[in-house]
């Protein structure tokens, strides 16, 4: 690799993990392949790139004046909102990015997607991109190099309020040369946006319930293990898990057809049930090796069978508190929220998150990958209304498909190529599976549902056949009962003290919120009086900034925000609408800041009460 | 050929190339068909008059003009947006400018 390439990569690696390894892997794998991307010079001696495809050469930049063409593309974006997020689908010789950045403000973000890994490698080997790649506003993803990490960054960069401010830019000829890749990238952004929208809706609906569970479970959580420990244990104690399939049992209607087959997989696979499938499995006398439950709203009827208590379980802070309380078997926690992460970090421990598309089966799929399993079998994963039913028999008492719910339905292609009705959110879960399967070549997936939606990238076959092919080694899943817990008994007092400290901090935070509201009111007065340039104005702005910095680092904010999520979303709605004038925008921001903090005050009170309840329970 | 017409085609070539560099293909498509027809007719007109004009002391570079016409058609046939934009801005525009010079040399009275 050239020195220039190393410098370019260094700039990216500083902010994007895995890219260096991705580039190296790509070069190792494709270094000897026949080249299809060439370097040339424009009439102005600019370095330009050309791609050979379908027997002809396509230039990715103007052959006469690449800079001029890049300027035209950048100018075509028109008036730029200060929070626009640009998704630039093609780098060419780098000038498209360079010209775009010149027109952006410090709060804009550019997500670059290069659909051709060969173009990306040729570019970094030949063009000094350090200025652009080192720019804090830029993230870069190249196909076959690091697009598998895109979803992680998407969740960080995009917030609900910013989705409408995102703009795709496709440089000329990229759409012609790479239509499939760009369409897939667009689809993955769409999936990400849907997940954010779904999370927003969930938080608005049941955020308070989720926060209640997180606090109520806190003490019990510290008595349990984590998926981090489970992963370490598996790595250390199972010589080779590549031959052990990870079977995810969900409760789709097709589970009725083949659940009996699962018995023969017992002892030859890691059988993991999502919570909805437990009753059905017990009905057939099949005890899963592990149960995954996440939903703070999950009906407790699913956990009524006494046998549940003795099955190891993967949970998160938001899982139902009643389950934490009743469980006798091993529990492995992961985190769904920043608060739990910061809580563990406070004691020097880590707790992993599991990516999701919105369903517990998605989380379970992420768990399989996190634990290092590479063969995954999906069972009961219909993600569609098979035979006009939503779930397997005896799982839920739920209404049949009906006209009243029809706005929640959509169509997807089933495993036989026919169109089949499903919930919109089921379609979203399916899209998530497809995106992850596409991005992770290291895993092989069999969809042994025998019905329902077709999941692209997964091979369809019967469960019987899947078991015959993959479940051929012995595997004693009970070893996971030996996984150590995280906190030692000696740390119990420190945990208790920290919980009390968090409770006490609610009072201080409440005062800060009142102070914050006062600052925003003062800011409004100054703007209304036209006094936006003087020392008083600067002093108020500094106070607001200090307050914002404080909230950014305060672990409790995440809980408070969950409690007040409905208010928060309403407050932030329209925050980034087109700005008419700086004053008007500042006034809007101040109004919304006040509304947000009023919501936080209520959330803070609920947080405090929940901690009081927790502490009373511990004592 | 009227000089103001040639100037209009220069403007059209610039506008189309701007739209194409901005990847606004649907915008450009509204003008490409008519412009290309006109460009072809103008080019063919001067190529057909090459002998006559040579006799009047004006050399028409037929090979270059044919090459520019070919590039234009190749870009359209293969849907190569950059090639089409480049050809419009740096070849067809140059061709039109050349024809203006020719007309000026011929007297420019028609302008």
């Amino acid at each position: 690799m050239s020195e220039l390439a190393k410098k370019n990569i260094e700039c990216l690696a500083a902010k994007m993990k895995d890219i260096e390894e991705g580039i190296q892997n790509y070069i190792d794998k494709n270094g000897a392949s026949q080249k299809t991307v060439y370097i040339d010079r424009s009439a102005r001696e600019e370095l330009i790139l050309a791609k050979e495809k379908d027997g002809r050469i396509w230039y990715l930049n103007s052959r006469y004046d690449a800079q001029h063409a890049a300027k035209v593309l950048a100018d075509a974006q028109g008036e730029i909102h200060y929070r626009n997020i640009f998704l630039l689908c093609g780098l060419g010789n780098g000038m498209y990015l360079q010209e775009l950045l010149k027109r952006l403000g410090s709060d804009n973000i550019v997500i670059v997607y290069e659909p051709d890994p060969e173009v990306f490698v040729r570019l970094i080997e030949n063009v000094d991109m350090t200025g652009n790649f080192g720019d804090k506003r830029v993230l870069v993803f190249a196909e076959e190099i690091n697009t598998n990490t895109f979803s992680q960054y998407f969740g960080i960069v995009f917030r609900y309020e910013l989705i409408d401010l995102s703009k795709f830019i496709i440089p000329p000829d990229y759409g012609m040369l790479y239509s499939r890749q760009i369409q897939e990238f667009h689809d993955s952004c769409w999936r990400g946006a849907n997940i954010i929208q779904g999370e927003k809706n969930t938080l608005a609906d049941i955020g308070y319930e989720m926060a209640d569970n997180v606090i109520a479970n806190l003490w019990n959580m510290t008595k349990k293990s984590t998926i981090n420990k489970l992963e370490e244990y598996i790595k250390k104690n199972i010589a080779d898990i590549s031959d052990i399939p990870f079977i995810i049992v969900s409760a789709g209607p097709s589970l009725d057809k083949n659940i009996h087959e699962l018995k023969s997989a017992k002892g030859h696979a890691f059988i993991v049930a999502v919570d909805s499938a437990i009753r059905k499995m017990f009905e057939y006398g099949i005890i899963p090796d592990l149960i995954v439950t996440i939903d703070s709203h999950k009906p407790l009827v699913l956990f009524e069978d006494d046998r549940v208590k003795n099955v190891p379980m993967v949970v998160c802070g938001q899982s139902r508190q009643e389950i934490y309380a009743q469980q006798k078997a091993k529990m492995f926690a992961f985190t769904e929220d920043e608060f739990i992460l910061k809580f563990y970090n406070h004691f020097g421990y880590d707790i992993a998150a599991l990516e999701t598309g919105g369903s517990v089966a998605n989380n379970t799929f992420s768990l399989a990958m996190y634990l290092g399993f590479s063969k995954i079998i999906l069972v009961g994963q219909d993600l569609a209304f098979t035979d006009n039913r939503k779930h397997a028999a005896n799982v839920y008492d739920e209404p049949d498909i009906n006209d009243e719910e029809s706005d929640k339905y959509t169509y997807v292609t089933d495993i036989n190529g026919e169109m089949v009705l499903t919930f919109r959110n089921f379609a979203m879960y399916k899209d998530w599976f497809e995106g992850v399967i596409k991005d992770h070549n290291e895993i092989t997936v069999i969809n042994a549902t025998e019905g329902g939606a077709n999941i692209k990238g997964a091979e369809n076959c019967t469960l019987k056949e899947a078991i015959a092919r993959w479940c051929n080694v012995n595997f004693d899943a009970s070893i996971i009962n030996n996984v150590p817990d995280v906190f030692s008994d000696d740390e119990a007092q420190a945990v208790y003290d920290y919980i009390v400290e968090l409770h006490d901090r609610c009072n201080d935070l409440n005062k800060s919120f009142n102070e914050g509201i006062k600052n925003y009111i003062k800011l409004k007065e100054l703007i209304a009086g036209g006094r936006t340039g003087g020392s008083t104005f600067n002093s108020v702005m500094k106070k607001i900034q200090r307050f914002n910095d404080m909230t950014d680092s305060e672990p409790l904010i995440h809980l408070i925000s969950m409690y007040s999520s409905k208010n928060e979303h309403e407050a932030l709605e329209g925050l980034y609408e087109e700005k008419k004038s700086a004053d008007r925008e500042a006034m809007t921001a101040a109004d919304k800041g006040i509304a947000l903090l009023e919501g936080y005050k209520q959330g803070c009170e609920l947080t405090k009460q929940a901690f009081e309840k927790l502490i009373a329970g511990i004592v | 050929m009227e000089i103001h017409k040639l100037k209009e085609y220069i403007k059209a070539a610039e506008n189309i190339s701007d739209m194409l560099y901005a990847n606004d293909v649907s915008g450009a498509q509204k003008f490409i068909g008519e412009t290309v027809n006109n460009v072809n007719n103008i080019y063919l007109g001067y190529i057909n008059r090459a002998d006559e004009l040579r006799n009047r002391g004006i050399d028409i570079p037929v090979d270059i003009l044919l090459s520019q016409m070919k590039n234009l058609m190749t870009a359209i046939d293969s849907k190569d947006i950059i090639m089409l934009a480049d050809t419009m801005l740096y070849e067809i525009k140059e061709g039109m400018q050349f024809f203006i010079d020719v007309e000026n040399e011929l007297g420019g009275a028609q302008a």
Side-chain angles (χ1 to χ4, degrees):
Chain A
M1 206 184 290
S2 69
E3 280 308 308
L4 183 57
K6 283 179 189 164
K7 277 186 191 169
N8 282 326
I9 293 168
E10 235 170 70
C11 287
L12 289 173
K15 56 186 170 185
M16 304 186 69
K17 59 175 185 172
D18 301 336
I19 194 162
E20 195 170 359
E21 193 187 341
I23 294 167
Q24 196 55 59
N25 287 344
Y26 175 79
I27 292 172
D28 291 347
K29 206 168 141 191
N30 300 283
S33 312
Q34 199 175 348
K35 299 274 177 288
T36 61
V37 175
Y38 306 100
I39 301 291
D40 202 347
R41 295 274 164 185
S42 72
R44 291 181 69 233
E45 286 299 312
E46 300 154 309
L47 184 148
I48 54 174
L49 297 177
K51 171 82 176 174
E52 187 178 358
K53 193 185 177 194
D54 300 334
R56 73 184 296 273
I57 297 290
W58 299 73
Y59 281 85
L60 300 176
N61 301 92
S62 167
R63 293 177 70 190
Y64 287 87
D65 188 341
Q67 183 108 35
H68 167 75
K71 280 179 181 171
V72 172
L73 181 66
D75 286 339
Q77 304 318 309
E79 196 182 341
I80 288 164
H81 187 283
Y82 75 113
R83 294 304 301 264
N84 273 145
I85 296 175
F86 291 92
L87 297 122
L88 176 62
C89 301
L91 275 162
N93 69 348
M95 284 178 173
Y96 294 128
L97 174 61
Q98 186 187 45
E99 287 301 326
L100 179 64
L101 285 171
K102 283 180 190 170
R103 287 151 181 80
L104 304 185
S106 57
D107 289 330
N108 290 118
I109 291 171
V110 184
I111 293 173
V112 177
Y113 167 67
E114 174 50 60
D116 190 333
E118 199 183 335
V119 166
F120 183 72
V121 171
R122 296 289 270 171
L123 177 72
I124 60 169
E125 279 174 344
N126 292 283
V127 181
D128 183 356
M129 293 296 292
T130 53
N132 298 323
F133 286 174
D135 193 309
K136 70 176 178 60
R137 299 169 294 178
V138 175
L139 290 173
V140 180
F141 298 90
E143 197 59 56
E144 293 180 47
I145 287 175
N146 68 333
T147 41
N148 56 340
T149 64
F150 177 66
S151 59
Q152 296 163 26
Y153 290 91
F154 190 90
I156 297 167
V157 171
F158 281 87
R159 294 208 315 266
Y160 173 72
E161 315 85 66
L162 297 175
I163 290 173
D164 285 346
L165 290 169
S166 59
K167 287 176 108 173
F168 274 84
I169 304 176
I170 303 172
D173 282 348
Y174 264 85
M176 195 68 190
L177 289 166
Y178 308 107
S179 61
R180 180 184 58 79
Q181 292 92 331
I182 291 173
Q183 182 62 53
E184 284 177 4
F185 176 69
H186 178 272
D187 291 348
S188 67
C189 293
W190 183 245
R191 278 195 297 275
N194 276 333
I195 290 170
I196 291 172
Q197 168 83 54
E199 282 171 355
K200 178 223 162 199
N201 293 344
T202 306
L203 272 171
D205 288 347
I206 54 169
Y208 66 95
E209 191 179 274
M210 290 156 79
D212 257 353
N213 282 349
V214 170
I215 297 173
N217 290 332
L218 204 52
W219 177 254
N220 282 337
M221 249 181 133
T222 64
K223 308 284 176 198
K224 310 292 180 190
S225 191
T226 54
I227 62 166
N228 305 53
K229 291 281 178 191
L230 179 59
E231 188 261 347
E232 277 171 32
Y233 189 85
I234 285 175
K235 202 182 268 177
K236 208 181 282 177
N237 292 281
I238 302 176
D240 183 13
I241 62 166
S242 63
D243 282 335
I244 303 166
F246 189 103
I247 302 182
I248 301 173
V249 187
S250 303
S254 296
L255 188 62
D256 290 332
K257 283 186 229 169
N258 58 9
I259 187 166
H260 57 281
E261 301 284 358
L262 269 177
K263 270 189 181 166
S264 59
K266 188 77 183 167
H268 304 288
F270 196 29
I271 302 178
V272 183
V274 306
D275 43 18
S276 306
I278 307 170
R279 291 173 88 192
K280 196 80 205 166
M281 291 185 77
F282 283 153
E283 188 187 323
Y284 280 79
I286 304 161
I287 310 294
D289 298 321
L290 187 71
I291 292 168
V292 180
T293 183
I294 294 163
D295 193 350
S296 65
H297 215 65
K298 214 70 185 174
L300 286 172
V301 66
L302 295 172
F303 306 90
E304 273 176 353
D305 191 310
D306 256 5
R307 288 174 287 183
V308 172
K309 294 173 190 163
N310 299 312
V311 181
M313 206 175 257
V314 165
V315 286
C316 65
Q318 296 159 19
S319 307
R320 288 204 70 150
Q321 41 189 293
E322 297 86 347
I323 299 163
Y324 267 93
Q326 73 168 25
Q327 197 66 4
K328 290 177 186 159
K330 205 83 195 168
M331 291 179 97
F332 307 97
F334 71 97
T335 183
E336 278 260 282
D337 53 82
E338 283 283 306
F339 171 74
I340 292 291
L341 178 66
K342 290 191 172 179
F343 185 88
Y344 274 69
N345 289 167
H346 176 81
F347 294 96
Y349 299 121
D350 200 9
I351 181 164
L354 291 175
E355 272 193 60
T356 187
S359 82
V360 62
N362 292 152
N363 290 87
T364 310
F365 196 93
S366 293
L367 176 71
M369 291 196 296
Y370 177 76
L371 297 179
F373 289 88
S374 54
K375 287 180 172 174
I376 302 173
I377 300 174
L378 303 173
V379 184
Q381 197 57 246
D382 289 74
L383 297 169
F385 306 150
T386 304
D387 301 328
N388 288 331
R389 288 186 299 134
K390 300 167 186 170
H391 288 94
N394 301 331
V395 172
Y396 290 118
D397 186 14
E398 60 189 355
D400 292 334
I401 297 166
N402 57 73
D403 284 345
E404 278 171 30
E405 282 186 343
S406 61
D407 61 327
K408 294 178 182 170
Y409 301 160
T410 185
Y411 281 93
V412 290
T413 308
D414 74 6
I415 58 167
N416 302 312
E418 306 290 328
M419 297 310 281
V420 61
L421 202 62
T422 189
F423 277 125
R424 287 183 190 279
N425 56 349
F426 282 12
M428 204 169 87
Y429 308 154
K430 179 187 85 77
D431 288 348
W432 183 89
F433 277 124
E434 291 176 349
V436 174
I437 293 169
K438 176 186 161 282
D439 288 342
H440 292 272
N441 296 330
E442 74 278 13
I443 55 167
T444 317
V445 183
I446 288 182
N447 183 3
T449 298
E450 301 182 36
N454 187 50
I455 300 171
K456 272 186 260 171
E459 180 194 348
N460 292 309
C461 78
T462 64
L463 180 56
K464 191 173 184 178
E465 192 186 334
I467 291 170
R469 273 167 57 188
W470 279 4
C471 301
N472 302 312
V473 293
N474 292 327
F475 174 61
D476 177 12
S478 70
I479 60 164
I480 65 172
N481 288 312
N482 303 323
V483 177
D485 291 334
V486 178
F487 290 83
S488 68
D489 291 343
D490 296 344
E491 287 173 293
Q493 186 61 47
V495 170
Y496 176 79
D497 290 346
Y498 187 50
I499 287 173
V500 172
E501 185 190 322
L502 288 169
H503 164 267
D504 295 347
R505 208 187 290 168
C506 289
N507 291 330
D508 298 335
L509 273 177
N510 210 26
K511 280 181 201 158
S512 300
F513 295 147
N514 280 324
E515 205 54 41
I517 290 169
K518 274 186 201 162
N519 286 329
Y520 278 124
I521 292 170
K522 182 76 186 163
L523 179 67
K524 284 183 67 173
E525 286 168 8
L526 289 168
I527 296 167
R531 290 176 291 152
T532 53
S535 59
T536 316
F537 180 80
N538 290 339
S539 159
V540 172
M541 289 304 284
K542 269 185 194 162
K543 281 181 189 167
I544 289 172
Q545 187 55 50
R546 269 203 301 275
F547 173 78
N548 290 340
D549 291 345
M550 181 277 289
T551 57
D552 282 348
S553 60
E554 172 55 58
L556 284 169
I557 284 295
H558 302 284
L559 288 174
I560 292 167
S561 161
M562 271 198 250
Y563 273 120
S564 59
S565 45
K566 198 165 187 174
N567 286 339
E568 186 173 342
H569 289 305
E570 278 167 14
L572 294 177
E573 203 80 46
L575 177 62
Y576 301 120
E577 277 169 5
E578 287 301 319
K579 54 178 165 184
K580 307 288 181 207
S581 70
D583 283 0
R584 186 168 156 188
E585 191 179 11
M587 196 66 105
T588 307
D591 282 335
K592 291 189 177 295
I594 292 167
L596 185 72
L597 292 181
E598 289 291 356
Y600 275 10
K601 278 174 64 184
Q602 292 170 27
C604 192
E605 187 52 38
L606 292 168
T607 305
K608 191 180 152 192
Q609 286 170 16
F611 270 111
E612 275 164 11
K613 206 170 154 189
L614 172 67
I615 291 163
I618 297 170
V619 175
Chain B
M1 186 70 208
E2 293 176 15
I3 289 176
H4 75 91
K5 277 276 175 207
L6 293 169
K7 284 181 178 171
E8 271 177 27
Y9 296 136
I10 286 179
K11 195 74 206 150
E14 285 172 346
N15 288 341
I16 289 171
S17 72
D18 269 1
M19 283 187 263
L20 293 171
Y21 286 139
N23 208 12
D24 176 10
V25 180
S26 55
Q29 266 171 345
K30 290 175 198 154
F31 308 100
I32 288 173
E34 193 188 342
T35 305
V36 168
N37 259 342
N38 291 329
V39 164
N40 273 340
N41 289 337
I42 292 165
Y43 268 59
L44 287 174
Y46 283 99
I47 289 167
N48 289 335
R49 290 174 62 202
D51 289 344
E52 173 215 328
L53 291 169
R54 190 177 305 117
N55 292 336
R56 295 170 71 176
I58 298 168
D59 195 20
I60 300 293
V62 174
D63 288 351
I64 293 175
L65 295 183
L66 285 172
S67 159
Q68 290 178 343
M69 284 176 74
K70 189 182 166 214
N71 286 344
L72 191 62
M73 296 325 291
T74 303
I76 289 170
D77 289 346
S78 55
K79 299 187 172 68
D80 187 333
I81 299 165
I82 290 179
M83 187 181 185
L84 184 54
D86 276 353
T87 307
M88 281 285 183
L89 190 60
Y90 299 102
E91 298 185 22
I92 303 302
K93 183 179 160 184
E94 184 194 64
M96 294 297 160
Q97 192 57 58
F98 171 75
F99 299 142
I100 290 173
D101 293 344
V102 168
E103 294 301 333
N104 281 330
E105 212 167 322
L106 288 173
Q110 295 149 309

